[in-house]
Amino acid sequence: MATFIVGNTKKVFNFGTSKVWDFSEAYRNASDGDVIQFQAGTIINLGQNRFTIEKNLSFVGDMKDDGSLTTSINGTILVTKGYQVSFEKMILNDNIDRTVVTVNGANVVLNQCIMRNFSNTNKKVLLYANDNAQVKIMNSIVDTSDQKRWDTIKTYQANLVIENTTLDKVAIWVSENSNCKLTRVESSRIRSTNAVYAIRSNVEIEDSKIINDGIDGENKYPTVFLNQSSLKSRNSTLGNQDEVESVHLEKHSVFESNNDYIYKLAAYSSQVFLSNATIQLILLLTNRSSGYANSVHFNEHSESIINILSTDESVLYIKNAVFEEIIDPNVRVGPRIKSVQVK
């Protein structure tokens, strides 16, 4: 394994290194398994060109003692099928209308990175993964300039893992047999879309805090939206504002929750399994949905808010429920209800 030092300082750099390389020169000479390491303060501007990676490489930047990053690649990157690539201590950045990182069937890891696009006119995603790609983002920050942008990270038949990472104004779209797992993730300041949208895919959320910013004009966007998908959540906060759902299920989706805080939950033709859950506003089951809850806690709120609403041939069984109400709990059943049992 060889290490290629890239930077602006053209001098001998560390023992055993005889050259400081230009970025393109280092890439051309590197072989599978090599490391391209950037000197402190190095900024690579790709311009209008797309940098295509077709080797198994590690790109390592520089981090100061205070945790700030000093090295960046500005432009768009494509990692092609079958290659394994890692970025560490790097800023991956752009400010025009294009995708920053595209992963086509490759294995990509971002560790201690910042990925962002501050273009106010950008309609593209920050990261797009498809064709059975494997993407892992850890100990990083993903940031955009606009609360009103659409999907920021998008997968199509791919696997996405995000750990110990801050998502600022970031929307995740997982589709067509994709898998997404969020662990120790904080996601906030999303408006005009969902924080997580899944269609025919699987999502796991653990030890995380995912919160939307409520109503945008006349539009209401649930924090997590499932369409023919599954969600398993544990020890997490799924929040929203303005009486907008934090979890929305439809078309035979399944939600399994353990020890979560849920602002508002609505299931349409779907299944819900709750254990040790706290619900701020309402648990809604409709369109032949079914639900089972063991130890569910409904927080105190005004009498105008319904705790439980089950309607349209839905079935709900609750074991051990606590209602923090000054008045009687507000439990309602609608027409064609099959059953509601609370013990």
Side-chain angles (χ1 to χ4, degrees), residues 95-110:
N95 58 6
I96 60 176
D97 186 12
R98 57 184 179 180
T99 301
V100 175
V101 179
T102 300
V103 185
N104 290 342
N107 187 322
V108 171
V109 175
L110 288 83

Side-chain angles (χ1 to χ4, degrees), residues 27 51-55 57 59 77-80 83 85 87:
Y27 176 77
F51 174 46
T52 300
I53 301 176
E54 297 177 299
K55 300 177 183 180
L57 297 174
F59 297 85
I77 298 169
L78 168 66
V79 185
T80 57
Y83 293 101
V85 175
F87 298 91

Side-chain angles (χ1 to χ4, degrees), residues 174 194 196-203 222 224-232 247-256 268 270-271:
V174 289
N194 315 106
V196 178
Y197 180 91
I199 179 167
R200 291 180 290 274
S201 295
N202 304 302
V203 179
V224 179
F225 191 110
L226 301 181
N227 182 341
Q228 304 171 68
S229 297
S230 70
L231 168 63
K232 294 182 179 180
V247 180
H248 176 104
L249 299 86
E250 64 178 44
K251 297 182 179 179
H252 309 292
S253 293
V254 179
F255 177 34
E256 298 179 33
Y268 299 80
S270 296
Q271 293 179 293

Side-chain angles (χ1 to χ4, degrees), residues 4-269:
F4 293 82
I5 303 299
V6 172
N8 300 316
T9 306
K10 302 297 183 182
K11 62 181 181 180
V12 174
F13 189 87
N14 294 334
F15 294 106
T17 302
S18 58
K19 183 177 181 179
V20 176
W21 301 72
D22 293 323
F23 179 60
S24 58
E25 185 184 20
Y27 176 77
R28 285 196 304 269
N29 284 273
S31 301
D32 285 345
D34 287 347
V35 176
I36 295 179
Q37 183 171 340
F38 297 83
Q39 291 179 335
T42 300
I43 298 175
I44 305 299
N45 292 307
L46 300 176
Q48 298 297 319
N49 298 321
R50 181 171 66 181
F51 174 46
T52 300
I53 301 176
E54 297 177 299
K55 300 177 183 180
N56 300 314
L57 297 174
S58 297
F59 297 85
V60 180
D62 175 73
M63 177 183 288
K64 292 183 178 180
D65 292 339
D66 62 3
S68 60
L69 302 178
T70 71
T71 52
S72 66
I73 298 177
N74 299 332
T76 183
I77 298 169
L78 168 66
V79 185
T80 57
K81 188 170 184 176
Y83 293 101
Q84 299 185 22
V85 175
S86 66
F87 298 91
E88 183 177 349
K89 302 175 183 177
M90 296 289 303
I91 298 173
L92 304 178
N93 180 60
D94 210 344
N95 58 6
I96 60 176
D97 186 12
R98 57 184 179 180
T99 301
V100 175
V101 179
T102 300
V103 185
N104 290 342
N107 187 322
V108 171
V109 175
L110 288 83
N111 183 23
Q112 295 181 297
C113 289
I114 296 175
M115 184 167 59
R116 62 192 181 196
N117 190 324
F118 286 164
S119 169
N120 290 323
T121 61
N122 187 32
K123 304 299 182 183
K124 302 294 180 63
V125 299
L126 270 177
L127 184 147
Y128 177 69
N130 69 346
D131 197 13
N132 296 311
Q134 308 283 330
V135 177
K136 185 173 186 178
I137 303 172
M138 52 194 296
N139 309 311
S140 297
I141 297 172
V142 183
D143 190 11
T144 69
S145 62
D146 190 358
Q147 290 176 300
K148 297 187 177 184
R149 60 183 293 121
W150 188 228
D151 38 309
T152 316
I153 298 174
K154 187 172 184 177
T155 67
Y156 181 90
Q157 296 179 350
N159 297 304
L160 172 68
V161 174
I162 304 179
E163 296 179 354
N164 196 35
T165 290
T166 299
L167 307 178
D168 188 12
K169 304 179 290 295
V170 170
I172 299 173
W173 176 299
V174 289
S175 65
E176 307 307 331
N177 298 312
S178 290
N179 297 293
C180 173
K181 184 173 183 179
L182 310 179
T183 305
R184 298 182 301 280
V185 169
E186 290 201 10
S187 174
S188 62
R189 299 207 291 171
I190 281 288
R191 186 168 292 174
S192 293
T193 186
N194 315 106
V196 178
Y197 180 91
I199 179 167
R200 291 180 290 274
S201 295
N202 304 302
V203 179
E204 295 183 49
I205 300 175
E206 184 174 341
D207 299 320
S208 297
K209 188 175 182 179
I210 316 296
I211 299 177
N212 262 36
D213 269 5
I215 296 175
D216 176 51
E218 297 181 355
N219 299 314
K220 299 180 179 181
Y221 294 93
T223 307
V224 179
F225 191 110
L226 301 181
N227 182 341
Q228 304 171 68
S229 297
S230 70
L231 168 63
K232 294 182 179 180
S233 181
R234 185 165 73 93
N235 301 329
S236 295
T237 295
L238 305 174
N240 212 326
Q241 301 180 45
D242 304 323
E243 300 184 23
V244 182
E245 299 156 5
S246 57
V247 180
H248 176 104
L249 299 86
E250 64 178 44
K251 297 182 179 179
H252 309 292
S253 293
V254 179
F255 177 34
E256 298 179 33
S257 170
N258 185 2
N259 199 37
D260 291 323
Y261 167 89
I262 303 163
Y263 179 73
K264 183 178 180 179
L265 169 60
Y268 299 80
S269 305

Side-chain angles (χ1 to χ4, degrees), residues 316-331:
L316 173 62
Y317 179 89
I318 298 179
K319 182 179 180 181
N320 300 326
V322 175
F323 298 86
E324 286 193 10
E325 295 291 349
I326 300 174
I327 61 173
D328 292 334
N330 196 343
V331 178

